[in-house]
Amino acid sequence: MSVDVRDEREIKQVQGADVWRLRRAAPQDLREIAELAREVLCDAWTLVGFEEHLRAARSDLWWVCGSDGRAAGYLAARYLAGEGEIFSIGVRASLRRQGLASRLLKALETSQEWRGVARIHLEVRESNQAAQAFYARQGFVRVGKRPRYYPDGEMAILMTRDRVDSQTSMRDAESRACGVSAQAVAGAEGTLPIRAQAEVVVNRPEATAQYRLRLRVANWPSVAPGQFVMLTPKAGAARACSDPLLPRPMAIYRVFEGETSSEIEILYRVVGRGTGLLSEVSPGDQVGLVGPLGRGFPAPQAGEHSILVGGGSGIASLYLFARAACERVRQEGAGRVSILLGARTVADLPAQSDFADLGAELILATEDGSVGERGFVTEPLRVLLEGSAASTSGVVLYVCGPTPMMRACANLAAKCERQCFVSLENPMACGFGVCLGCATTLQGGGKALVCKDGPVFAADRIDWENVGG
Amino acid sequence: MAEFCVDTTVNLGGIALRNPVLTASGTFGYGSEFAPFLDLRRLGGFVTKSLTLQPRQGNLPPRIAETPSGMLNAIGIENVGVDAFVTEKLPQIPEGVPVIVSVFGTAPEEYADLCQRLDGVPKVAGFELNASCPHVKSGGIEFGQNPKSLTQLVSSVRAATRMPVLVKLSPNVTSIAEMARVCEGEGADGLSLINTLQALDVNVETRRPVLRNVLGGLSGPAIRPVALRMVWQAAQAVQIPICGIGGIMTGEDAVKFLLCGATAVQVGTASYLDPTMAAQVADAIVVYAARHGFARVQDLTGALELPVR
Ligand SMILES: Cc1cc2nc3c(=O)[nH]c(=O)nc-3n(C[C@H](O)[C@H](O)[C@H](O)COP(=O)(O)OP(=O)(O)OC[C@H]3O[C@@H](n4cnc5c(N)ncnc54)[C@H](O)[C@@H]3O)c2cc1C
Ligand SMILES: Cc1cc2nc3c(=O)[nH]c(=O)nc-3n(C[C@H](O)[C@H](O)[C@H](O)COP(=O)(O)O)c2cc1C
Ligand code: FES
């Protein structure tokens, strides 16, 4: 007997044809699948087991069902970032050797959710030679064993397979949504961060001690303005020394999306050993990257006057937000964006032309007066705030820079009764909420993690005496 | 990939581990933070952030600073408290990952109470008594530095639970062997060492200590040789298994601890550089074992070749 199996995704239109359908299982399918599992495997999950599996995050269950609703085969698996694990595959005895199992495997791997999975693991009973042979045919290799793994004492054989790259096909490219859009302001923070070895594309000095770094990253998720990455220069085998040890937080300045990989741009200032090491990387080198991390700026309200204030290397955290805010004003035909940038001298403002290109009002201030107004950026800010004191539409400040500058902006905003958001730059060790080292102190004595709860906070929540940055 | 089969299982004081690599308390959160990056089942298991009976806020910032090949921290045992851990954090951990709960208190009764509450809770595989936190005002290190207090601590906990109990010892002592023997004598199932070394750094521009707490704990590769020495000395002194901790960044680093007498190891600070580090260390141990003809990782424990006299 031969089976005509069609992938559910391919046969939406082929109504009425008597084919077996391969599709993701829904709760109502589980009884049938559990039944099959019990028939074909000695230690299959029960119905409850399958129900739990389906409820679990990032789990996956595919099955092949006949027009009568009976199950011919199933595959239960789970994926986590770059890793996938197959829990079990079962095929009805009378339908074996028809390629059903490999169809299931292929459906799983080509699904949207599995496109980032670089390696698949599985465990199989030592005595289950048929399954081992099947996995070997599918390119899995034995990498180890776990004695006494099963409850009855039998040993498990571990097998893995790396993703065949050609499978990351065109289909993936079209379904990718990366980079930043106006909507990303609202909600991209829901995306999970990735860990990657990024390839240096460009690392170029822009001004005294200022560099522009471009990194190529595969499977880069979408970002929200104000999010950051943790970078480890000279990662991997090339990393000969452990000093400096910790990764460095850097704002995501810009993103250039490509079909299979994206390029993210970082604008940084060499201030110490970590950034010094970063300035030494060359195109082709690998940089360890974890991100995107943190909660970025809140989306501006319709019609508001957004005032962005950036100081020194903090300017980098504002660009994506500035772009999104300008885009919004253009789309809605209402609202206003003012960008105020401050630095010691003109050479410390390599980003000014990028900001100027956005077409919003741009005010510069340098301490030496080499460009824009002489003095701190807080002075033109004061003038702007006082000028809009009568404005009844919202005026909101978005600030990133040295702590004293952010604090001064917070005070000005409070005086003018305007809302203010700051992006803190506390030293970090992990960047994803586990070391608890980046904590800042909130009004009233509570603590918040800059990397996870921030880096962007409402300025009036911060206890400025105990910021920690 | 070459085919090789190495038995990676080890038994750490009654806790069966699929491989000898755990992650260290305070460097792995409550586990779920790592889920986006890593299938937790690639680890031997993990040790939670130290838990206390009530939630704790921890110290004022700055709490961390980098030092040559290491870092200083004075977090102050900030944690969600045992109840929130059981109801909110534990359910997020997948089945099949041994969770060792690190417990901390200011009196032996608090440790015993914590262990009693967690005894029999699903997924909890055992306890690690943090008898060595160097930077909270009371508790922790007092137990790890004074043999009498340590005796009281271990015996109270032993009376409270039959689950596996590891004692995490302080390196800030004159004789680690003496402390190790105390634990063994009171019925501890194993030892974890070392915790951070008490340390200080100064910002000369501001003439202030780099940490608000003044003193902090040093971790990272800088402490590895000290940690190896202490694991070696403790292994000479006791029969109970030892979990080696301190600056592990690679499979070779981990193997060094095994050779010096550790049964398992914990990866700490290195997880900040790369959240998959511990799993990479586990994989690299297998490669080492295969290359050196060890069929079982457990055979590496204590396999140090000493010079003949
Ligand atoms: C969320 C976030 C986003 C950031 N984005 C950017 C960015 O886009 N571009 C950029 O150039 N920098 C950015 N920073 C700051 C950057 O991380 C630090 O400058 C860097 O970590 C310093 O490392 P280092 O080894 O070179 O300096 P170190 O040797 O660690 O220190 C040298 C000097 O820099 C100061 N310093 C150390 N850490 C910080 C810090 N976090 N902030 C300010 N000064 C610090 C120290 O006080 C010291 O004076 C960001 C920081 C955070 C937390
Ligand atoms: C930020 C930080 C927090 C820590 N918190 C704890 C803790 O809560 N309980 C504990 O027993 N050890 C704690 N430790 C110590 C580690 O578990 C480990 O013993 C130490 O860092 C040495 O290992 P390493 O060099 O691999 O980091 C902490 C270490 C760091 C760096
Ligand atoms: S940097 Fe580790 S918790 Fe924020």
Side-chain angles (χ1 to χ4, degrees), chain A residues 58 78 80-85 87 119 121 123 141-149 157 160 162 192-195 197 232 239 241-248 273 290-291 293 426-430 432-441 445-447 449 452 465-468, chain B residues 1-9 18-19 26-30 33-42 49 57-71 75 78-79 89 94-95 212 219-222 224 249 269 271-276 280 283 286 295 298:
Chain A
R58 292 182 280 284
R78 200 172 79 130
L80 269 171
E83 307 270 334
E85 178 166 3
F87 294 128
R119 182 182 283 186
H121 306 268
E123 280 142 12
V141 289
R142 281 168 66 133
V143 289
K145 56 187 181 182
R146 289 180 180 156
R148 300 175 303 279
Y149 181 77
I157 303 296
T160 71
D162 288 336
L192 291 171
I194 62 165
R195 162 219 171 254
Q197 298 292 333
T232 308
R239 193 179 157 84
C241 67
S242 56
D243 190 27
L245 179 68
L246 299 170
R248 296 295 192 257
R273 290 174 308 149
V290 174
L293 297 164
N426 287 17
M428 295 180 176
C430 69
F432 52 97
V434 295
C435 74
L436 313 180
C438 63
T440 189
T441 316
K447 304 282 190 314
L449 294 179
K452 202 174 98 189
E465 298 300 323
N466 297 295
V467 183
Chain B
M1 197 184 300
E3 172 163 337
F4 41 79
C5 282
V6 174
D7 175 358
T8 59
T9 56
R18 67 168 69 96
N19 70 54
T27 63
F28 211 70
Y30 304 101
E33 294 90 337
F34 282 74
F37 310 110
L38 173 73
D39 183 343
L40 298 180
R41 289 167 304 181
R42 284 177 69 195
K49 176 74 192 165
Q57 287 274 349
N59 296 330
L60 281 173
R63 295 171 164 188
I64 51 169
E66 193 171 295
T67 56
S69 295
M71 68 179 279
I75 307 298
E78 174 174 335
N79 76 97
K89 304 296 181 183
E95 293 291 343
R212 179 72 166 254
S219 65
R224 192 191 309 130
M249 304 261 285
T269 304
S271 291
Y272 302 154
L273 279 76
D274 180 344
T276 68
Q280 290 180 42
D283 291 347
V286 176
Q298 51 193 276

Side-chain angles (χ1 to χ4, degrees), chain A residues 429 434-437, chain B residues 23-27 47-51 63-64 71-75 77-78 102 128-133 135 168 193-196 217-221 223-224 245-248 266-270 272:
Chain A
V434 295
C435 74
L436 313 180
Chain B
T23 51
S25 178
T27 63
V47 186
T48 66
K49 176 74 192 165
S50 291
L51 292 173
R63 295 171 164 188
I64 51 169
M71 68 179 279
L72 288 183
N73 89 82
I75 307 298
I77 313 283
E78 174 174 335
S102 170
E128 184 179 85
L129 312 186
N130 178 354
S132 43
C133 180
H135 36 71
K168 186 162 178 182
L193 55 147
I194 59 177
N195 207 319
T196 54
L218 181 63
S219 65
I223 71 170
R224 192 191 309 130
I245 318 164
I248 295 173
Q266 294 177 17
V267 172
T269 304
Y272 302 154

